[in-house]
Amino acid sequence: MFHSKIIGIGHFVPEKVVTNHDLEKLMDTSDEWIQERTGIKERRFYDPPEKGSTAIMAYKASLIALERAKLKAKDIDAIVFATLSPDYYFPGSGVLLQHMLEMDTKPAIDIRAQCSGFIYALSVADQFIKTGMYKRILVIGSETQNLALDLTTRGRGMGVLFGDGGGAAILEATDEEGKGILSTHLHSQGEFADVLCIREPGSNKIGKSVYENMHLNHDNIHPQMDGQLVFKNAIKRMPEVTMEALAANNLTTEDIDMFLPHQANLRISQMVQKFLRLPDEKVYNNIQKYGNTTAATLPILLSDLWEQGRIKEGQLFALAAFGSGFTWASTLIRF
Ligand code: COA
């Protein structure tokens, strides 16, 4: 059976930096509150003249990943694209990226698992590679969130948390034992769907068109969240699913060289780190400069480390995520 090795990673974030002080001008908030409660100092907002930003950021990240993998887009067999902020209501952003990369008629699959989206996407791609169906898959996490945020005082609970960006990873089949993605572990709990969501445009209002919904339910077009409930579940599920991955591979936390937690809140990452008893040098956070970029978070973390030369052959990386759905997931990757 084949295994999936990551042979290239890239990311793209928009140029526009939005600091906490910039947000102070839009709503009743403060740099001190945001930094103390979340660790975030700034985030990037996509603000270009072009439309369809999620696919464009994915495209720019993909070109970097392809270059680092020394491949061309034509060498890729399929795309798996995770996002909660697709360019269109339908079709998914995967086909837009497939077209931009001029990938003939190669398949594009869209994944909707929010902050866990990138690990879900890795898992789907990994299964295709293991079975031998595809040899090389482009896995994407990309998000344009600023357009949905309510950047007034009414929406400040959510508005300060999120940023835009895109990340790409290229998986390739290898027959080397013990290398690449060792396993993926996925969970969901839909009873909590309403705890963190954007309700519109949705199909759940019988007899009303999407267009009417958007106008009748102004509140529902912005993200809604019970922050404390999300927080409590995140600090429970992320360590739990990381331990599940370690147990499945007969490994312990001491075997981890680098732990990458989904970047929802620095306090969540620090608590998860504490539960796992990991020293600071084995955990990487970048929420300070990007905020929560949802499905893009993990590939951006990986690409950041790649650029810093901090991904070394043989190292064991553990990735864990938690988010809307609820969904949560983990993976272990041996580079
Ligand atoms: N600036 C200033 N004050 C704010 C604020 C902001 N941006 N957002 C909320 N507040 C206020 C609230 O109105 C509340 O005021 P009150 O006590 O007068 O009612 C107070 O700050 C405390 O709000 P609360 O929501 O209890 O704060 P918190 O300590 O729970 O922190 C979060 C809020 C959102 C940072 C935190 O709950 C969190 O990180 N949750 C998980 C987020 C997450 O993971 N989301 C994505 C999932 S992937």
Side-chain angles (χ1 to χ4, degrees), residues 27-30 33-34 37-38 115 153 155-162 196 225-232 234 262-265 267-268 292 294 322-324:
M27 62 179 82
D28 179 13
T29 191
S30 66
W33 190 96
I34 301 170
R37 303 287 179 121
T38 72
C115 296
T153 300
R156 66 183 179 176
M158 291 294 271
V160 302
L161 301 177
F162 295 92
L196 175 51
M225 175 173 74
D226 177 342
Q228 289 182 9
L229 188 63
V230 174
F231 196 105
K232 277 184 207 147
H262 170 63
Q263 304 286 286
N265 183 323
R267 282 159 56 219
I268 294 179
N292 181 353
T294 308
F322 179 89
S324 159

Side-chain angles (χ1 to χ4, degrees), residues 18-25 27-43 156-162 264-267 287-288 291:
V18 178
T19 65
N20 294 343
H21 294 297
D22 292 329
L23 295 180
E24 283 172 357
K25 293 174 202 144
M27 62 179 82
D28 179 13
T29 191
S30 66
D31 176 51
E32 192 190 355
W33 190 96
I34 301 170
Q35 285 210 47
E36 194 184 296
R37 303 287 179 121
T38 72
I40 300 167
K41 294 184 179 162
E42 58 188 43
R43 73 286 292 140
R156 66 183 179 176
M158 291 294 271
V160 302
L161 301 177
F162 295 92
N265 183 323
L266 192 60
R267 282 159 56 219
I287 192 170
Q288 300 88 336

